[in-house]
Amino acid sequence: MQYLRVARIVNSIGLNGEIKIFSTTSFKEIRYKKGNKLYIQVDNNYIPVTVKSFRIKDAKFDAISFKEFTSVEQVENLKNHDIFCMKDESILLKNEFYYDDLKDLKVYDEDKKEVGITIEIEEFPANLTLKIKTIEGKISFVPFNDFFIKNVDLENKTITIHVIEGLL
């Protein structure tokens, strides 16, 4: 059983147990569908909760409520806790990946020379970007698109990239 982080609880909203969250999922309409099971991590435990309602609050935050919580007192202590879902490969299309699956992969150029390792995946307005720590210890950003990313091999934990002058 593998969990994927989908949000962080920011604060409570109102008196009825609604929660303000910062979403980290690209699949809000699927993840936060009424009746879906999610999990709030408290210490090392994953507490199952059922989505009661969801709405986009503003450009940065969303609002969600769970059947298990009906008052502000029940959710006050959940601030800064993470919300998770169960990993589900079936919602991914061909050549789509979960961000967590792309972390800690060895990065090679097209000549099979090791370049470094992926540290994390960052979303910028222009595009998704791989943050790579090079063999020399430098941090580089590689746009996650077909021009630069030539192959992602999750089985062998490698990514092959097209290197142009100034990229690294």
Side-chain angles (χ1 to χ4, degrees), residues 53-114:
S53 69
F54 169 76
R55 63 188 169 92
I56 294 174
K57 186 164 173 41
D58 55 42
K60 257 183 132 172
F61 299 103
D62 299 317
I64 194 166
S65 66
F66 300 108
K67 289 181 181 178
E68 292 77 6
F69 304 120
T70 57
S71 71
V72 67
E73 293 80 17
Q74 292 175 309
V75 297
E76 280 179 329
N77 62 339
L78 297 177
K79 186 176 179 181
N80 295 322
H81 286 74
D82 290 324
I83 300 174
F84 291 81
C85 71
M86 298 301 287
K87 187 173 182 178
D88 180 6
E89 303 287 342
S90 68
I91 64 174
L92 296 177
L93 300 174
K94 186 179 178 185
N95 293 324
E96 286 187 334
F97 309 95
Y98 286 113
Y99 294 174
D100 284 352
D101 291 341
L102 298 175
K103 290 181 184 176
D104 301 321
L105 299 183
K106 285 192 176 182
V107 180
Y108 295 90
D109 65 16
E110 292 171 296
D111 296 326
K112 308 261 187 268
K113 180 181 172 198
E114 188 173 348

Side-chain angles (χ1 to χ4, degrees), residues 20-55:
K20 181 178 180 180
I21 60 172
F22 177 73
S23 292
T24 57
T25 181
S26 298
F27 306 103
K28 290 181 186 183
E29 63 282 348
I30 296 170
R31 299 289 185 219
Y32 306 136
K33 189 175 175 184
K34 185 177 181 176
N36 276 6
K37 283 279 185 214
L38 295 174
Y39 302 85
I40 299 174
Q41 185 180 20
V42 178
D43 300 320
N44 289 326
N45 298 316
Y46 292 88
I47 299 166
V49 290
T50 308
V51 177
K52 180 175 158 184
S53 69
F54 169 76
R55 63 188 169 92

